[in-house]
Amino acid sequence: MPKLIANALLFQLGWLICVFAGDSLWLLPVAAIVAVHLLWVSSWAAEGKLLLSVFLAGSALDSFLLNLGVFDFGEPRQLIPLWLALLWLLLATTLNHCLAWTAQPWWRGSLLGAVAAPLAYYGGAQIAGVTLPLGAWPTLAILAAVWAVVMPVLHGFAKLYRAQYEQRLRLQQR
């Protein structure tokens, strides 16, 4: 249980750092948070593929939403800023740990994604000065629909990579 609490607290601390720091050197503690996660809560061997996949897929998804006009960071850009991409990396650290309870049944992840993610985006946008050109309510509705699908998909990545890791361990024990 202490590792689950630490995982949740590390994620929350990382979230706050990302939205307050923007693309500045103040993001460096996020690397320490991920390192603590990998050294104490999990390991690179167990979760490295998940962290990279979620980071890349999530960054692509948010960049797509950016290009659709859902977000405006106050400057012309095609890709999301680093601080937002790092939030995906931080989210990946929770999938097999403090958010594992949302994996089964699938609708738990959908419900959590549909409710919590839009609120996190809205709060982050308010703190980081990101505008929502479509308006708050339409943006929240879009994010709720997207995240109702995203969370079960992310848990699918986690399950697949966890099974691959466990199979590798079994093969090494032979």
Side-chain angles (χ1 to χ4, degrees):
M1 187 59 110
K3 286 186 177 183
L4 293 181
I5 293 169
N7 180 244
L9 292 175
L10 287 170
F11 172 77
Q12 289 303 316
L13 176 62
W15 188 92
L16 289 169
I17 290 169
C18 286
V19 298
F20 278 106
D23 282 345
S24 73
L25 288 178
W26 288 103
L27 283 178
L28 285 176
V30 174
I33 289 170
V34 173
V36 168
H37 169 79
L38 292 173
L39 291 171
W40 188 52
V41 179
S42 187
S43 72
W44 180 257
E47 291 195 337
K49 194 186 290 188
L50 177 64
L51 269 60
L52 286 175
S53 295
V54 172
F55 174 77
L56 293 172
S59 297
L61 173 63
D62 274 352
S63 292
F64 177 69
L65 292 172
L66 165 67
N67 285 288
L68 287 179
V70 176
F71 312 122
D72 182 2
F73 295 96
E75 61 189 22
R77 58 186 318 137
Q78 303 300 310
L79 300 174
I80 60 170
L82 178 61
W83 67 265
L84 185 53
L86 288 176
L87 288 173
W88 284 96
L89 182 65
L90 291 166
L91 175 65
T93 67
T94 66
L95 293 171
N96 286 322
H97 305 285
C98 69
L99 290 184
W101 65 273
T102 66
Q104 292 294 325
W106 66 268
W107 58 264
R108 282 187 195 159
S110 279
L111 182 61
L112 179 72
V115 174
L119 295 175
Y121 275 84
Y122 184 76
Q126 297 303 303
I127 294 168
V130 177
T131 57
L132 307 173
L134 303 176
W137 289 109
T139 299
L140 293 174
I142 290 167
L143 291 172
V146 166
W147 276 86
V149 174
V150 165
M151 278 303 287
V153 168
L154 294 180
H155 278 301
F157 285 161
K159 182 179 179 181
L160 171 67
Y161 297 149
R162 195 170 48 251
Q164 289 174 350
Y165 174 71
E166 290 167 359
Q167 182 180 17
R168 239 184 2 259
L169 287 179
R170 283 191 300 275
L171 292 173
Q172 288 174 352
Q173 291 174 350
R174 290 184 187 183

